[in-house]
Amino acid sequence: MKDIYKIVCFFLAPGPFPRAQHIWDFNEFHHHFAIGAMDGGEAEAVVTVKRVCMVEPAVPTLRQSMFLSSLDLLFLPFHNIQRLLFYRLTHANDYSSVIENLKNGLSLVLVHFYPLAGQMKISESGRPEVECNNRGVEFKEVSINVPFHDLEKDGFQRKPFFKNLVHEADNSADENYGRPLLSIQVTAFEGGGISIGTTIHHVMVDGNSYWHFMTSWAECSRGISIAKPPQHDRALLKQGNQSPMSISFKAHEIVSHGITGAKIFKFVTEDSQLDSMETSGSWNVEKTKESLQKWGDPKRTTEVISSTLCFTEDIIQELKNRSGVSSSFVAVAAQFWRCVIRAREVPLEEAVYFLVLANCRDRVKPPLLPTYFGNCISMGVAQTTANKLVHADISFAADVLQQLINSCTQEAQINHLIDWAEFPNRNFVSLLEEAGWKYGTNVASSPRFPLYEMDYGWGKPVDVQMANIYEIGSMHLSCPKDGGKSILVSTCLPQHQMDLLQKLLFV
């Protein structure tokens, strides 16, 4: 096969080696950590990085500075999007040819998704933007001394070493503006299996854009043209020349459908004058980093486990019947919210929250194409008390969530969110702080994303996982492997709370 991709790479071996442009210095190194062996004993897993490359677009792309919308900058200090795709390789799939296919496909797809080959910088105005400079995407080849068969036999239950199968980037200032926006790690397991781990900065993509890129990369790796070229004009969400509006995020009592004791937060315009300090300054991720850590783990020392729970089609239908809603998402989310708050043993007098994220490409004016590449997510927060939530019928939670979805997807709310986020240091975390978030449940991803359609030339994945789950009691939705109508929910909790949650959910 002719190598058509452009890379700068090093084979890693003990000892020093010279520098090259766009590449950091490495030595071969190992990560050691203990895992529970599949036979019940203890084994030490060792991850070894063999080679690190920068894969560039196959042909030079336009060098320019790319505007980041306020909906992108909402995620400036947030966790990266990280996913793990596991593949079984047969004897016909030579590992070296698999790597070549992936790099070739990546080099080709970056011609279309060229912003991912750039890096973040601060513009003269102090606003973050992307410098499209063909720098490339980091590509790591790694091995681990864990048999792939053991993972298959165990149903790909989450293991502590999963976090080592992706590049772990902390969104500090150095990470934001120094490292590649996208890192790929291909890990070879013993016995003929691999994982493809991706780490991509959240300012670049939401869930729709992430899977759009992954699908297109798979198409290029199979030697076919991408079916849906991306739309890159993020200035379509630009505020324009209008003066910034003073907008706050306030709770409003729900008065429809006879609901009492619940509120929805809405963006509302204020008559007050904007503080000049608020409208000036630069974006600083360090200001919200500590808040992000606390939101992910309020105690910051809590040991948690991650688990994936399956809501079968029959269970979902039963929840629909009990809650009186037609939406599978609302029925599942209502049940999960009630049960996870109870499992966490939240004091009954405490306020509890639910955060929903909704794709709004077809709800902005003018509507964006489904192939818009960037973040276009609306946000909504509902609030009630733990006492009301856990003691009321499931229909109460379902009605609140349905009202929340209806509210946050209104055009006016989306426009106000864009205006609210236009000011420096307003972001996803500060939004929750403004709402008073303490005990909350957020939902991310979607069972509609094509996780198991990612064929890079040797078949579809046998499993897809999140590399990390950061937020305690959160919901991360995905589809089942068989393509059925079940909904999988991944979450993390302390062990005793997870045990209680599993008992409560399916009663």
Side-chain angles (χ1 to χ4, degrees):
M1 178 185 299
K2 183 178 180 180
D3 294 340
I4 59 174
Y5 56 87
K6 295 174 64 178
I7 64 172
V8 181
C9 71
F10 286 126
F11 289 91
L12 302 186
F17 47 85
R19 294 179 181 270
Q21 189 177 14
H22 304 314
I23 297 293
W24 298 270
D25 283 345
F26 288 101
N27 290 326
E28 185 179 77
F29 59 93
H30 307 273
H31 293 296
H32 297 267
F33 40 87
I35 63 170
M38 302 303 174
D39 61 1
E42 289 295 322
E44 184 180 44
V46 179
V47 171
T48 303
V49 179
K50 294 296 186 180
R51 182 166 63 170
V52 179
C53 305
M54 295 296 286
V55 179
E56 301 174 2
V59 297
T61 60
L62 181 65
R63 291 178 175 267
Q64 61 177 346
S65 294
M66 174 171 282
F67 173 80
L68 291 174
S69 79
S70 58
L71 296 186
D72 294 319
L73 296 180
L74 275 171
F75 295 99
L76 183 63
F78 201 61
H79 303 299
N80 296 276
I81 293 180
Q82 296 179 314
R83 294 293 183 273
L84 282 170
L85 286 74
F86 294 91
Y87 293 87
R88 158 62 65 184
L89 300 183
T90 66
H91 294 295
N93 303 128
D94 178 71
Y95 176 75
S96 61
S97 66
V98 165
I99 294 295
E100 296 305 305
N101 276 348
L102 288 172
K103 289 179 180 176
N104 279 331
L106 183 58
S107 186
L108 288 169
V109 80
L110 287 176
V111 176
H112 302 277
F113 292 82
Y114 59 90
L116 295 179
Q119 62 190 111
M120 284 185 60
K121 70 173 186 178
I122 298 294
S123 68
E124 293 182 359
S125 67
R127 183 189 183 97
E129 61 185 17
V130 174
E131 181 181 5
C132 301
N133 58 8
N134 294 304
R135 183 190 186 195
V137 167
E138 182 180 61
F139 192 99
K140 290 183 178 180
E141 297 174 44
V142 177
S143 65
I144 186 171
N145 66 334
V146 173
F148 195 77
H149 174 71
D150 287 352
L151 292 182
E152 291 182 304
K153 185 173 62 175
D154 199 38
F156 292 91
Q157 292 294 314
R158 189 177 302 277
K159 301 293 186 297
F161 67 80
F162 278 15
K163 66 180 181 294
N164 296 87
L165 304 181
V166 294
H167 169 76
E168 183 62 26
D170 174 22
N171 284 2
S172 65
D174 287 343
E175 291 286 354
N176 267 314
Y177 303 108
R179 292 199 52 83
L181 295 168
L182 170 62
S183 293
I184 308 293
Q185 179 174 319
V186 180
T187 303
F189 288 79
E190 293 181 353
I194 65 167
S195 65
I196 299 176
T198 59
T199 298
I200 187 169
H201 203 300
H202 211 320
V203 297
M204 299 306 296
V205 295
D206 57 15
N208 285 274
S209 290
Y210 172 81
W211 290 109
H212 180 195
F213 166 75
M214 294 294 285
T215 299
S216 301
W217 179 21
E219 290 169 338
C220 289
S221 296
R222 297 200 309 273
I224 62 177
S225 300
I226 66 173
K228 299 177 180 179
Q231 180 193 41
H232 286 300
D233 189 1
R234 302 190 183 207
L236 292 171
L237 293 173
K238 196 170 186 177
Q239 184 187 46
N241 296 323
Q242 65 186 31
S243 300
M245 299 177 65
S246 178
I247 295 176
S248 61
F249 194 52
K250 292 185 175 180
H252 296 258
E253 290 281 349
I254 300 177
V255 295
S256 60
H257 293 280
I259 300 174
T260 59
K263 300 177 181 179
I264 288 179
F265 282 80
K266 296 182 179 181
F267 293 97
V268 295
T269 57
E270 301 281 9
D271 295 329
S272 59
Q273 295 292 319
L274 291 173
D275 189 330
S276 60
M277 293 296 291
E278 185 179 19
T279 59
S280 62
S282 60
W283 279 257
N284 186 342
V285 298
E286 294 296 333
K287 288 186 178 181
T288 55
K289 208 174 155 188
E290 183 176 351
S291 298
L292 178 61
Q293 292 171 335
K294 290 181 179 179
W295 179 57
D297 180 357
K299 295 182 179 180
R300 302 186 69 176
T301 57
T302 305
E303 291 189 9
V304 299
I305 63 167
S306 299
S307 184
T308 298
L309 311 165
C310 180
F311 288 78
T312 66
E313 188 174 357
D314 289 342
I315 291 174
I316 293 172
Q317 186 58 54
E318 180 185 351
L319 293 175
K320 286 182 179 181
N321 295 339
R322 288 172 49 199
S323 59
V325 297
S326 59
S327 166
S328 296
F329 166 74
V330 171
V332 169
Q335 176 72 348
F336 184 90
W337 189 23
R338 298 170 67 241
C339 294
V340 78
I341 292 299
R342 185 176 171 186
R344 293 180 66 183
E345 301 172 325
V346 176
L348 294 180
E349 70 276 7
E350 287 281 357
V352 293
Y353 300 82
F354 193 95
L355 167 72
V356 68
L357 306 176
N359 174 28
C360 57
R361 283 166 174 76
D362 60 348
R363 296 182 174 97
V364 296
K365 297 295 182 183
L368 299 177
L369 295 175
T371 55
Y372 173 80
F373 191 71
N375 288 278
C376 193
I377 297 176
S378 181
M379 302 180 182
V381 176
Q383 174 193 317
T384 185
T385 64
N387 183 53
K388 181 74 174 180
L389 182 66
V390 302
H391 287 125
D393 186 77
I394 186 177
S395 60
F396 168 77
D399 286 343
V400 171
L401 295 184
Q402 189 61 65
Q403 290 291 308
L404 175 62
I405 294 169
N406 294 342
S407 174
C408 79
T409 54
Q410 293 176 355
E411 181 184 348
Q413 285 299 297
I414 297 169
N415 290 336
H416 286 341
L417 169 60
I418 294 173
D419 287 331
W420 179 89
E422 190 62 34
F423 300 106
N425 302 316
R426 285 184 174 179
N427 51 59
F428 183 80
V429 180
S430 60
L431 181 77
L432 298 182
E433 288 185 321
E434 192 167 331
W437 183 279
K438 184 178 180 182
Y439 296 103
T441 301
N442 66 295
V443 60
S445 196
S446 169
R448 297 179 180 178
F449 291 151
L451 280 65
Y452 290 95
E453 299 302 315
M454 300 299 111
D455 183 354
Y456 291 84
W458 54 85
K460 298 178 181 180
V462 293
D463 201 78
V464 179
Q465 295 269 355
M466 293 185 63
N468 292 288
I469 299 177
Y470 294 98
E471 301 85 30
I472 291 179
S474 59
M475 296 179 66
H476 297 267
L477 308 182
S478 60
C479 61
K481 301 177 188 179
D482 61 9
K485 295 183 180 180
S486 299
I487 295 178
L488 305 182
V489 179
S490 298
T491 190
C492 70
L493 287 168
Q495 179 70 66
H496 73 283
Q497 293 181 9
M498 185 69 77
D499 294 341
L500 180 56
L501 176 64
Q502 292 174 344
K503 292 178 182 178
L504 293 170
L505 276 178
F506 306 118
V507 173

